[in-house]
Amino acid sequence: INAEYGETTIFSMKRARDEAPPPSNEAVRNKWDGFADLYDRNFYLWSAPAHLSAVAALSLPLLSEKQMVLEVGCGPGNGFKAIRDNTKAKVVAVDYSVEMVQRASVRASPLQVHTAVDDAQELKSIKSDLIDRLISTLCIHIVPDPEKARAPLVPAPCFGCRR
């Protein structure tokens, strides 16, 4: 959308996702299944700073064994150790990509992290009222419908936060 003001042209840019229909859930899953190996090998370069910042901000050491940390979009599980090193709480991690969860499961077992394939837009495997801390870095913005992804997280509606 262009708006002319005298000699100045102001551009109002819409995001590409606003212009095109969102990809199907299956297309997203296929993309991330195919990207799993490259992402796994480059996590510490690409995602670790955001993940470590979220872990540090959540006051995880304050949680008891009866509480729960949920990671949405856990990828191959490279961030599990940082979470486990900071809490005794139950840790549940989900990702939409089957390949990512298979990789995450290898890292999860020795750290007592429960993993599942689940859609961030639905989170059928999680009861939202049980979530005490939520970590979701570099995930929600890539789901087909980010607003829909927030709905299952009520009463913990924000990402990388505590309630």
Side-chain angles (χ1 to χ4, degrees), residues 32 39 43 46-58 69-80 82-83 94-95 100 120 133-143 153 158-161:
W32 286 100
Y39 185 81
F43 172 83
W46 296 341
S47 301
H51 193 273
L52 292 173
S53 295
V55 169
L58 292 175
V69 175
L70 171 64
E71 181 170 15
V72 176
C74 68
N78 288 316
F80 293 166
I83 296 170
V94 300
D95 200 285
M100 291 287 197
R133 299 290 190 277
L134 172 67
I135 298 174
S136 185
T137 57
L138 307 174
C139 169
I140 300 303
H141 66 288
I142 62 171
V143 300
L153 301 174
C158 52
F159 306 104
C161 69

Side-chain angles (χ1 to χ4, degrees), residues 95-113:
D95 200 285
Y96 192 56
S97 164
V98 173
E99 178 65 27
M100 291 287 197
V101 173
Q102 287 174 346
R103 290 167 180 270
S105 294
V106 173
R107 291 182 173 97
S109 182
L111 298 171
Q112 296 179 331
V113 173

Side-chain angles (χ1 to χ4, degrees), residues 29-73:
R29 177 176 290 171
N30 290 339
K31 175 183 175 181
W32 286 100
D33 281 347
F35 190 58
D37 183 58
L38 183 62
Y39 185 81
D40 193 1
R41 288 183 282 128
N42 289 287
F43 172 83
Y44 294 100
L45 176 64
W46 296 341
S47 301
H51 193 273
L52 292 173
S53 295
V55 169
L58 292 175
S59 303
L60 296 180
L62 300 177
L63 297 178
S64 75
E65 294 89 355
K66 296 179 181 179
Q67 294 177 293
M68 184 175 79
V69 175
L70 171 64
E71 181 170 15
V72 176

